[in-house]
Amino acid sequence: GAVWLDPDKTSPYDFYQYWRNVSDADVLKCLRMLTFLPIEQINEMDHWEGSQLNQAKEILAYELTGLVHGEDEAKKAESGSKALFAGGGDSEHMPTEELSDEDFNENSIDIITLLQKAGLVASRSDGRRAVEQGGVTLDGEKVVDIRYTLTRDDFGEEGIIVRKGKKKYKKVCVR
């Protein structure tokens, strides 16, 4: 459906991510159908592949987010997305989860609880599976021990980017 065209239904960031994640096969079709880019520019992308296609996806995501949510929001979403994909950029526009004192058990929190609090897994068993399958990273470092715990200090000032699989992640900080 047309849900994603309704600005109230999706945040600019999620909207941007949606288009940033379209398949390689669809990105040019989407650019042709949905954006106002000059057709010559799109035709030049026909022979693009790999990382160049990611650039095409960024263009698509940026253009569409700009059309639906406005230029400012598109810029923010883009910088938030770059922070995730490049590990640089600016992560302040990332979806964020704040932990409070009661989330910690004697100053520590285990990886499964963290995934749950961040809303990245539905259940503890889901979390366990994700860790065991190597799909969980903290600030880009893979965590494979389901008993791995973090202390409050580990979150630092900036928080930690908790990621499950390729598409789901949250910045988690402690207030």
Side-chain angles (χ1 to χ4, degrees), residues 107-126:
N107 199 34
S108 70
I109 184 168
D110 66 277
I111 183 73
I112 313 281
T113 306
L114 179 61
L115 287 166
Q116 274 188 300
K117 298 279 180 197
L120 296 175
V121 298
S123 64
R124 291 193 70 84
S125 56
D126 191 20

Side-chain angles (χ1 to χ4, degrees), residues 8-32:
D8 300 332
K9 293 276 190 296
T10 39
S11 74
Y13 187 85
D14 289 336
F15 182 88
Y16 183 99
Q17 286 302 121
Y18 175 86
W19 295 107
R20 176 65 185 72
N21 289 321
V22 296
S23 69
D24 290 359
D26 290 338
V27 61
L28 295 184
K29 191 170 68 194
C30 291
L31 278 165
R32 285 199 172 91

Side-chain angles (χ1 to χ4, degrees), residues 25-58:
D26 290 338
V27 61
L28 295 184
K29 191 170 68 194
C30 291
L31 278 165
R32 285 199 172 91
M33 285 168 29
L34 301 166
T35 71
F36 297 107
L37 290 180
I39 200 75
E40 303 80 48
Q41 191 185 342
I42 299 172
N43 288 342
E44 277 175 14
M45 298 177 188
D46 266 340
H47 57 268
W48 285 14
E49 50 194 43
S51 60
Q52 278 187 306
L53 276 175
N54 285 336
Q55 216 181 326
K57 292 176 193 182
E58 280 172 9

Side-chain angles (χ1 to χ4, degrees), residues 37-102:
L37 290 180
I39 200 75
E40 303 80 48
Q41 191 185 342
I42 299 172
N43 288 342
E44 277 175 14
M45 298 177 188
D46 266 340
H47 57 268
W48 285 14
E49 50 194 43
S51 60
Q52 278 187 306
L53 276 175
N54 285 336
Q55 216 181 326
K57 292 176 193 182
E58 280 172 9
I59 294 168
L60 172 68
Y62 185 84
E63 292 289 317
L64 290 176
T65 306
L67 287 171
V68 174
H69 292 279
E71 201 74 17
D72 282 354
E73 292 295 344
K75 287 199 178 85
K76 281 187 207 163
E78 182 182 50
S79 65
S81 178
K82 281 199 162 72
L84 174 77
F85 283 100
D90 129 34
S91 62
E92 68 179 285
H93 300 301
M94 239 184 227
T96 300
E97 192 65 50
E98 286 198 340
L99 298 177
S100 59
D101 290 343
E102 47 268 24

